[in-house]
Amino acid sequence: MVAQTIGRDQVATDRRTAILEGAARLIARRGVRGLRVEELAAEAGVSAALIYYHFKDRAGILLRTLEFINDRAERYTAGRGDHTAPTRPRGELERSLLLELQDLPEVRENSIAWGELRASAVFDPVLRNDLAEAGAAWAREVAELLGAAHPAAPATARTASAERLTALLEGLSMRWLSGVLSLENAQKLIMEAIAVEAEQLDGREA
């Protein structure tokens, strides 16, 4: 009986994951307004009824998809701990931000979907709190990396630097994905921005 319960739970988890993967693909391909439950069901290979069972309504789908792409981004930027990862705190910061600018299908899909959800939050207050929380969590992670590289700089200065860097990275990502900026130039600009922020934090250290 326990094995059967575990098996059912795994099937349910797999189906939810398939739905969220499908939602991320559709949003990246057609935008938030192009997300229709019937099309999502076809994309994920499940019934519309099952989608409503797991996510209640369209707002629930969007909120869970936001969580999904945020978790996925954390996974592909978590490679800092492998044997190729730089050991310098500054190198950790550079690597973390550059991993958000990779010409890989998963990264492109994630970045487009994130941008779509963020833009939709302008008109959809349901998304705003979750987006704000996700953005704040990302900024805190960057602030921690800045703290490792510049421990004597005030926390408020590190937080401000993290906000600027994450905001710039989002903008550079959108410009790259829309063809306005080359990937190489986007990477160069974020590296230059990190250098500028590092110099400012060095000047704020006691």
Side-chain angles (χ1 to χ4, degrees):
M1 181 65 71
V2 173
Q4 290 178 345
T5 301
I6 294 174
R8 286 196 297 270
D9 290 344
Q10 185 60 52
V11 169
T13 298
D14 291 346
R15 285 176 174 170
R16 282 194 295 270
T17 299
I19 293 167
L20 292 172
E21 288 174 343
R25 285 194 300 271
L26 284 176
I27 291 172
R29 199 159 63 226
R30 302 183 56 183
V32 170
R33 293 186 179 183
L35 182 65
R36 299 289 182 268
V37 174
E38 293 75 15
E39 293 181 15
L40 175 55
E43 182 78 18
V46 300
S47 68
L50 186 65
I51 293 175
Y52 285 118
Y53 172 77
H54 284 301
F55 302 100
K56 308 303 181 187
D57 53 24
R58 190 172 183 275
I61 297 169
L62 292 177
L63 289 174
R64 298 292 80 77
T65 302
L66 173 62
E67 291 178 3
F68 172 78
I69 64 173
N70 191 52
D71 290 343
R72 191 164 64 175
E74 289 182 2
R75 287 196 299 274
Y76 63 65
T77 58
R80 299 193 301 271
D82 65 25
H83 69 281
T84 63
T87 56
R88 297 178 302 113
R90 169 77 171 271
E92 292 282 347
L93 172 64
E94 293 169 351
R95 180 179 174 85
S96 175
L97 296 183
L98 286 174
L99 284 172
E100 297 280 1
L101 290 170
Q102 301 180 82
D103 194 8
L104 298 174
E106 185 178 56
V107 178
R108 292 178 68 96
E109 182 179 282
N110 241 42
S111 297
I112 295 170
W114 173 268
E116 276 291 319
L117 289 164
R118 185 187 58 191
S120 295
V122 174
F123 308 101
D124 187 353
V126 173
L127 287 170
R128 288 178 194 166
N129 287 340
D130 289 70
L131 270 165
E133 290 176 9
W138 184 24
R140 283 195 299 271
E141 291 174 6
V142 173
E144 289 175 4
L145 292 171
L146 287 165
H150 306 276
T156 53
R158 298 196 302 265
T159 297
S161 288
E163 291 284 0
R164 286 191 291 269
L165 287 173
T166 52
L168 176 63
L169 183 55
E170 285 185 332
L172 291 174
S173 178
M174 287 300 102
R175 288 193 172 198
W176 160 51
L177 291 166
S178 61
V180 175
L181 194 67
S182 71
L183 177 59
E184 293 74 17
N185 202 16
Q187 293 168 335
K188 176 175 176 288
L189 289 170
I190 196 64
M191 290 291 286
E192 290 175 350
I194 292 170
V196 169
E197 294 295 339
E199 184 177 352
Q200 289 188 357
L201 290 175
D202 285 340
R204 297 291 300 276
E205 291 182 348

